[in-house]
Amino acid sequence: MLKQFMITAGVGVFILSGAQTASANDITPATLLNTTKSIEKTEQEVKQSKQAVAKAEQQIEQIEAKTETLQAEIDDVTKQIDAYRDELAPADASLFQQVLSSVLPSAKAEAAESEKQHQAILNQKATAEKTLDDLSAQQEEVTASKEETQSAYAAAAEQMKAQSNKLNDLKKQHAAMAPDKFMMPANGRLSQGFGPASGQFGYTFHNGIDIAAKVGTPIYAAADGKVIEVSGRGPYGKHVKIEHNIDGQKWTTVYAHMHKIDVKKGQTVRQAEGIGQIGNTGNSSGPHLHFEVHKGSYSFSPSSAGNTVDPMKVAELLGGASAVKATY
Protein backbone atom coordinates (compact mmCIF):
# COMPACT_ATOMS: atom_id res chain seq x y z
CA MET A 1 0.00 0.00 0.00
CA LEU A 2 1.36 3.38 -1.01
CA LYS A 3 2.38 5.57 1.91
CA GLN A 4 1.47 9.24 1.88
CA PHE A 5 3.99 11.55 3.52
CA MET A 6 5.08 15.14 3.79
CA ILE A 7 8.05 16.19 1.69
CA THR A 8 9.54 19.63 1.43
CA ALA A 9 12.24 21.39 -0.51
CA GLY A 10 15.65 22.00 1.01
CA VAL A 11 19.37 21.79 0.46
CA GLY A 12 20.98 19.00 2.47
CA VAL A 13 18.25 19.05 5.10
CA PHE A 14 14.47 19.32 5.00
CA ILE A 15 12.70 22.52 5.86
CA LEU A 16 9.67 21.42 7.84
CA SER A 17 7.36 24.15 6.61
CA GLY A 18 5.40 24.78 3.46
CA ALA A 19 4.96 21.04 3.06
CA GLN A 20 2.79 19.34 0.49
CA THR A 21 1.51 15.81 0.10
CA ALA A 22 3.67 13.67 -2.20
CA SER A 23 3.82 10.10 -3.39
CA ALA A 24 6.66 7.59 -3.68
CA ASN A 25 7.30 8.77 -7.25
CA ASP A 26 8.36 12.18 -5.95
CA ILE A 27 11.30 11.02 -3.85
CA THR A 28 14.71 9.59 -4.64
CA PRO A 29 17.42 7.71 -2.74
CA ALA A 30 19.11 11.09 -2.26
CA THR A 31 15.95 12.38 -0.56
CA LEU A 32 15.96 9.49 1.91
CA LEU A 33 19.71 9.69 2.49
CA ASN A 34 19.58 13.45 3.11
CA THR A 35 16.82 12.90 5.66
CA THR A 36 18.91 10.22 7.37
CA LYS A 37 21.91 12.56 7.52
CA SER A 38 19.70 15.36 8.85
CA ILE A 39 18.46 13.03 11.60
CA GLU A 40 22.02 12.08 12.54
CA LYS A 41 23.09 15.74 12.60
CA THR A 42 20.06 16.81 14.63
CA GLU A 43 20.54 13.94 17.08
CA GLN A 44 24.09 15.18 17.67
CA GLU A 45 22.78 18.74 18.13
CA VAL A 46 20.18 17.54 20.65
CA LYS A 47 22.89 15.63 22.51
CA GLN A 48 25.08 18.74 22.67
CA SER A 49 22.14 20.88 23.83
CA LYS A 50 21.30 18.35 26.56
CA GLN A 51 24.91 18.54 27.73
CA ALA A 52 24.73 22.36 27.73
CA VAL A 53 21.49 22.29 29.74
CA ALA A 54 22.93 19.81 32.23
CA LYS A 55 26.10 21.89 32.59
CA ALA A 56 24.08 25.06 33.17
CA GLU A 57 21.91 23.27 35.76
CA GLN A 58 25.04 22.11 37.58
CA GLN A 59 26.52 25.62 37.49
CA ILE A 60 23.29 27.09 38.87
CA GLU A 61 23.31 24.58 41.74
CA GLN A 62 26.95 25.45 42.50
CA ILE A 63 26.19 29.18 42.37
CA GLU A 64 23.18 28.79 44.68
CA ALA A 65 25.32 26.84 47.15
CA LYS A 66 27.99 29.54 47.00
CA THR A 67 25.31 32.22 47.47
CA GLU A 68 24.07 30.50 50.63
CA THR A 69 27.64 30.18 51.95
CA LEU A 70 28.39 33.86 51.27
CA GLN A 71 25.16 34.99 52.89
CA ALA A 72 25.96 32.93 55.99
CA GLU A 73 29.44 34.50 56.16
CA ILE A 74 27.97 38.00 55.66
CA ASP A 75 25.48 37.38 58.47
CA ASP A 76 28.27 36.22 60.80
CA VAL A 77 30.51 39.21 60.03
CA THR A 78 27.57 41.60 60.43
CA LYS A 79 26.91 40.14 63.89
CA GLN A 80 30.59 40.60 64.78
CA ILE A 81 30.50 44.25 63.72
CA ASP A 82 27.35 44.83 65.79
CA ALA A 83 29.08 43.23 68.77
CA TYR A 84 32.14 45.48 68.32
CA ARG A 85 29.88 48.52 68.17
CA ASP A 86 28.25 47.49 71.45
CA GLU A 87 31.67 47.11 73.07
CA LEU A 88 32.77 50.51 71.78
CA ALA A 89 29.70 52.33 73.11
CA PRO A 90 30.85 54.91 75.73
CA ALA A 91 30.04 53.90 79.33
CA ASP A 92 28.63 56.49 81.73
CA ALA A 93 31.22 57.35 84.49
CA SER A 94 30.61 59.35 87.64
CA LEU A 95 32.42 62.65 88.25
CA PHE A 96 34.23 61.00 91.18
CA GLN A 97 35.53 58.18 88.90
CA GLN A 98 36.68 60.70 86.28
CA VAL A 99 38.68 62.62 88.93
CA LEU A 100 40.24 59.44 90.31
CA SER A 101 41.32 58.30 86.82
CA SER A 102 43.17 61.57 86.32
CA VAL A 103 44.91 61.56 89.73
CA LEU A 104 45.60 58.03 90.93
CA PRO A 105 48.42 56.11 89.21
CA SER A 106 46.46 52.86 89.38
CA ALA A 107 43.46 54.53 87.82
CA LYS A 108 45.66 56.01 85.10
CA ALA A 109 47.07 52.57 84.30
CA GLU A 110 43.59 51.12 84.20
CA ALA A 111 42.47 53.89 81.84
CA ALA A 112 45.48 53.26 79.61
CA GLU A 113 44.68 49.53 79.44
CA SER A 114 41.08 50.35 78.64
CA GLU A 115 42.22 52.62 75.81
CA LYS A 116 44.43 49.86 74.48
CA GLN A 117 41.50 47.42 74.47
CA HIS A 118 39.34 50.07 72.84
CA GLN A 119 41.87 50.49 70.03
CA ALA A 120 42.11 46.71 69.57
CA ILE A 121 38.35 46.49 69.18
CA LEU A 122 38.44 49.38 66.71
CA ASN A 123 41.03 47.47 64.66
CA GLN A 124 38.97 44.28 64.78
CA LYS A 125 35.89 46.21 63.73
CA ALA A 126 37.77 47.78 60.80
CA THR A 127 39.00 44.34 59.71
CA ALA A 128 35.47 42.92 59.93
CA GLU A 129 34.09 45.85 57.91
CA LYS A 130 36.74 45.25 55.23
CA THR A 131 35.79 41.56 55.20
CA LEU A 132 32.13 42.54 54.86
CA ASP A 133 32.94 44.80 51.90
CA ASP A 134 34.84 41.96 50.20
CA LEU A 135 32.02 39.48 50.83
CA SER A 136 29.44 41.95 49.50
CA ALA A 137 31.50 42.43 46.33
CA GLN A 138 31.71 38.65 45.89
CA GLN A 139 27.98 38.41 46.43
CA GLU A 140 27.36 40.92 43.62
CA GLU A 141 29.64 38.93 41.27
CA VAL A 142 27.88 35.66 42.16
CA THR A 143 24.47 37.25 41.60
CA ALA A 144 25.55 38.51 38.17
CA SER A 145 27.02 35.09 37.36
CA LYS A 146 23.78 33.40 38.37
CA GLU A 147 21.72 35.68 36.12
CA GLU A 148 24.08 35.01 33.21
CA THR A 149 24.00 31.24 33.79
CA GLN A 150 20.21 31.22 34.11
CA SER A 151 20.01 33.08 30.80
CA ALA A 152 22.33 30.51 29.18
CA TYR A 153 20.24 27.69 30.66
CA ALA A 154 17.02 29.17 29.27
CA ALA A 155 18.58 29.59 25.81
CA ALA A 156 19.99 26.03 25.81
CA ALA A 157 16.66 24.60 26.98
CA GLU A 158 14.77 26.49 24.27
CA GLN A 159 17.28 25.34 21.64
CA MET A 160 17.00 21.75 22.81
CA LYS A 161 13.21 21.92 22.61
CA ALA A 162 13.34 23.27 19.04
CA GLN A 163 15.91 20.67 17.99
CA SER A 164 13.88 17.87 19.60
CA ASN A 165 10.77 18.98 17.70
CA LYS A 166 12.78 19.10 14.48
CA LEU A 167 14.15 15.62 15.18
CA ASN A 168 10.66 14.22 15.75
CA ASP A 169 9.46 15.75 12.46
CA LEU A 170 12.46 14.34 10.58
CA LYS A 171 11.91 10.88 12.04
CA LYS A 172 8.25 10.97 11.01
CA GLN A 173 9.26 12.06 7.53
CA HIS A 174 11.89 9.32 7.35
CA ALA A 175 9.44 6.68 8.54
CA ALA A 176 6.99 7.72 5.85
CA MET A 177 9.61 7.43 3.10
CA ALA A 178 11.73 4.49 4.21
CA PRO A 179 10.68 0.90 3.40
CA ASP A 180 9.89 -1.35 6.35
CA LYS A 181 12.93 -3.58 5.68
CA PHE A 182 14.78 -3.06 2.40
CA MET A 183 14.53 -0.62 -0.48
CA MET A 184 15.01 -1.67 -4.08
CA PRO A 185 18.69 -1.00 -4.73
CA ALA A 186 18.53 0.15 -8.35
CA ASN A 187 16.31 1.73 -10.97
CA GLY A 188 15.55 -0.61 -13.85
CA ARG A 189 13.46 -3.40 -15.30
CA LEU A 190 12.84 -6.71 -13.58
CA SER A 191 14.43 -9.10 -16.09
CA GLN A 192 14.39 -12.28 -13.99
CA GLY A 193 12.56 -13.09 -10.80
CA PHE A 194 13.20 -15.31 -7.80
CA GLY A 195 12.63 -19.07 -8.23
CA PRO A 196 13.39 -22.06 -10.50
CA ALA A 197 15.88 -21.35 -13.28
CA SER A 198 16.88 -22.93 -16.60
CA GLY A 199 20.25 -24.19 -15.40
CA GLN A 200 22.29 -21.66 -17.37
CA PHE A 201 25.58 -20.90 -15.62
CA GLY A 202 25.13 -24.04 -13.51
CA TYR A 203 22.24 -23.21 -11.22
CA THR A 204 18.65 -24.44 -11.30
CA PHE A 205 17.31 -21.98 -8.76
CA HIS A 206 17.63 -18.21 -9.09
CA ASN A 207 17.99 -17.03 -5.49
CA GLY A 208 17.67 -13.33 -6.21
CA ILE A 209 16.22 -10.95 -8.77
CA ASP A 210 17.83 -9.32 -11.81
CA ILE A 211 17.34 -5.61 -12.42
CA ALA A 212 18.29 -4.75 -16.01
CA ALA A 213 19.58 -1.24 -16.70
CA LYS A 214 22.34 0.59 -18.55
CA VAL A 215 25.92 0.22 -17.42
CA GLY A 216 26.66 2.95 -14.92
CA THR A 217 23.17 3.06 -13.39
CA PRO A 218 23.57 3.80 -9.64
CA ILE A 219 23.22 1.04 -7.05
CA TYR A 220 22.18 1.89 -3.50
CA ALA A 221 22.46 0.07 -0.18
CA ALA A 222 19.12 -1.61 0.47
CA ALA A 223 19.35 -0.93 4.23
CA ASP A 224 21.75 0.37 6.86
CA GLY A 225 24.61 -2.06 7.33
CA LYS A 226 28.27 -2.94 7.15
CA VAL A 227 30.13 -4.00 4.01
CA ILE A 228 31.51 -7.49 4.70
CA GLU A 229 32.87 -8.35 1.24
CA VAL A 230 34.11 -6.50 -1.83
CA SER A 231 35.34 -8.67 -4.68
CA GLY A 232 35.90 -8.72 -8.41
CA ARG A 233 36.20 -12.48 -8.89
CA GLY A 234 33.95 -15.47 -9.51
CA PRO A 235 30.51 -15.88 -11.10
CA TYR A 236 29.27 -12.69 -9.41
CA GLY A 237 32.01 -10.63 -11.06
CA LYS A 238 32.44 -7.37 -9.24
CA HIS A 239 30.18 -7.65 -6.23
CA VAL A 240 29.46 -6.40 -2.73
CA LYS A 241 27.94 -8.10 0.31
CA ILE A 242 26.42 -6.07 3.13
CA GLU A 243 25.40 -7.33 6.56
CA HIS A 244 22.38 -5.76 8.28
CA ASN A 245 20.70 -5.91 11.67
CA ILE A 246 16.99 -5.16 11.43
CA ASP A 247 14.94 -5.46 14.60
CA GLY A 248 17.48 -7.91 16.03
CA GLN A 249 17.46 -10.12 12.92
CA LYS A 250 20.66 -10.54 10.92
CA TRP A 251 20.34 -10.19 7.14
CA THR A 252 22.84 -10.21 4.27
CA THR A 253 22.33 -8.57 0.88
CA VAL A 254 24.32 -9.28 -2.27
CA TYR A 255 24.87 -6.92 -5.23
CA ALA A 256 26.48 -8.69 -8.21
CA HIS A 257 27.80 -8.08 -11.76
CA MET A 258 28.73 -4.49 -10.91
CA HIS A 259 30.63 -2.17 -13.23
CA LYS A 260 32.07 -0.01 -10.46
CA ILE A 261 32.31 -0.42 -6.69
CA ASP A 262 32.33 2.70 -4.49
CA VAL A 263 32.64 1.11 -1.03
CA LYS A 264 35.30 -0.77 0.90
CA LYS A 265 35.18 -3.80 3.15
CA GLY A 266 34.39 -2.81 6.73
CA GLN A 267 32.66 0.40 5.71
CA THR A 268 29.36 1.32 7.36
CA VAL A 269 26.68 2.40 4.91
CA ARG A 270 23.27 3.99 5.29
CA GLN A 271 20.15 2.93 3.46
CA ALA A 272 20.01 4.68 0.05
CA GLU A 273 23.76 5.43 0.09
CA GLY A 274 25.45 4.84 -3.26
CA ILE A 275 27.64 1.75 -3.32
CA GLY A 276 28.47 1.45 -7.03
CA GLN A 277 27.12 1.06 -10.55
CA ILE A 278 25.32 -1.59 -12.57
CA GLY A 279 27.60 -3.55 -14.90
CA ASN A 280 28.04 -6.76 -16.88
CA THR A 281 30.87 -8.57 -15.05
CA GLY A 282 31.06 -12.24 -14.10
CA ASN A 283 28.49 -14.75 -15.41
CA SER A 284 26.23 -12.16 -16.98
CA SER A 285 24.40 -12.10 -20.30
CA GLY A 286 23.76 -8.37 -20.24
CA PRO A 287 24.03 -5.29 -18.01
CA HIS A 288 22.02 -5.85 -14.83
CA LEU A 289 22.15 -6.01 -11.06
CA HIS A 290 21.70 -9.44 -9.46
CA PHE A 291 20.28 -8.72 -5.99
CA GLU A 292 19.96 -11.31 -3.22
CA VAL A 293 18.51 -11.10 0.31
CA HIS A 294 19.64 -13.74 2.83
CA LYS A 295 17.90 -14.12 6.19
CA GLY A 296 21.03 -14.64 8.27
CA SER A 297 24.56 -15.01 6.93
CA TYR A 298 25.32 -15.48 3.25
CA SER A 299 24.72 -19.10 2.20
CA PHE A 300 24.51 -19.97 -1.50
CA SER A 301 22.71 -22.96 -2.99
CA PRO A 302 22.59 -23.49 -6.78
CA SER A 303 19.53 -25.74 -6.56
CA SER A 304 17.31 -24.27 -3.81
CA ALA A 305 16.40 -21.07 -2.07
CA GLY A 306 18.44 -21.97 0.98
CA ASN A 307 18.15 -19.04 3.37
CA THR A 308 17.41 -16.52 0.62
CA VAL A 309 14.15 -14.58 0.56
CA ASP A 310 12.40 -13.28 -2.54
CA PRO A 311 13.49 -9.61 -2.64
CA MET A 312 10.12 -8.72 -4.15
CA LYS A 313 8.51 -9.67 -0.84
CA VAL A 314 10.80 -7.71 1.45
CA ALA A 315 12.16 -4.86 -0.69
CA GLU A 316 9.92 -1.88 -1.33
CA LEU A 317 9.93 1.27 -3.36
CA LEU A 318 10.62 4.49 -1.53
CA GLY A 319 7.45 5.71 0.11
CA GLY A 320 6.36 2.18 0.97
CA ALA A 321 4.92 1.05 -2.37
CA SER A 322 5.05 -2.70 -2.98
CA ALA A 323 7.49 -3.67 -5.73
CA VAL A 324 5.33 -6.11 -7.71
CA LYS A 325 6.07 -5.70 -11.38
CA ALA A 326 9.08 -3.48 -11.58
CA THR A 327 11.77 -1.83 -9.54
CA TYR A 328 11.69 1.90 -9.18
Side-chain angles (χ1 to χ4, degrees), residues 118-139:
H118 180 84
Q119 187 59 47
I121 293 173
L122 282 174
N123 293 339
Q124 290 172 340
K125 178 174 175 288
T127 300
E129 288 173 338
K130 176 65 169 58
T131 300
L132 182 61
D133 289 341
D134 291 342
L135 289 172
S136 297
Q138 290 181 46
Q139 190 177 50

Side-chain angles (χ1 to χ4, degrees), residues 138-187:
Q138 290 181 46
Q139 190 177 50
E140 290 180 3
E141 291 178 0
V142 169
T143 300
S145 176
K146 182 178 180 179
E147 291 175 354
E148 183 179 340
T149 304
Q150 286 176 327
S151 177
Y153 169 81
E158 186 64 27
Q159 184 178 52
M160 183 178 71
K161 180 180 178 181
Q163 290 168 343
S164 296
N165 290 337
K166 177 183 176 183
L167 180 60
N168 289 335
D169 288 339
L170 284 169
K171 286 183 175 180
K172 289 177 183 178
Q173 191 173 41
H174 185 276
M177 288 188 289
D180 292 335
K181 284 189 174 65
F182 301 98
M183 63 169 269
M184 280 294 175
N187 187 356

Side-chain angles (χ1 to χ4, degrees), residues 1-7 22-29 31-32 173-180 182-184 271 316-323 328:
M1 179 178 180
L2 180 65
K3 293 181 183 178
Q4 294 295 316
F5 58 94
M6 306 303 284
I7 182 172
S23 70
N25 294 329
D26 297 308
I27 59 176
T28 66
T31 307
L32 180 61
Q173 191 173 41
H174 185 276
M177 288 188 289
D180 292 335
F182 301 98
M183 63 169 269
M184 280 294 175
Q271 187 177 57
E316 301 173 347
L317 305 181
L318 294 179
S322 176
Y328 71 80

Side-chain angles (χ1 to χ4, degrees), residues 187-258:
N187 187 356
R189 176 179 57 85
L190 182 65
S191 59
Q192 185 175 356
F194 181 88
S198 64
Q200 185 184 17
F201 300 126
Y203 59 86
T204 56
F205 193 93
H206 192 237
N207 53 9
I209 62 172
D210 289 345
I211 303 171
K214 293 181 180 179
V215 171
T217 299
I219 300 172
Y220 306 96
D224 295 349
K226 182 178 181 180
V227 178
I228 60 171
E229 184 177 323
V230 173
S231 178
R233 304 189 306 271
Y236 284 148
K238 291 183 179 180
H239 64 276
V240 170
K241 293 176 184 173
I242 301 177
E243 188 175 280
H244 316 271
N245 187 312
I246 301 176
D247 297 330
Q249 171 65 52
K250 179 179 178 180
W251 298 80
T252 306
T253 53
V254 182
Y255 312 77
H257 311 306
M258 297 170 69

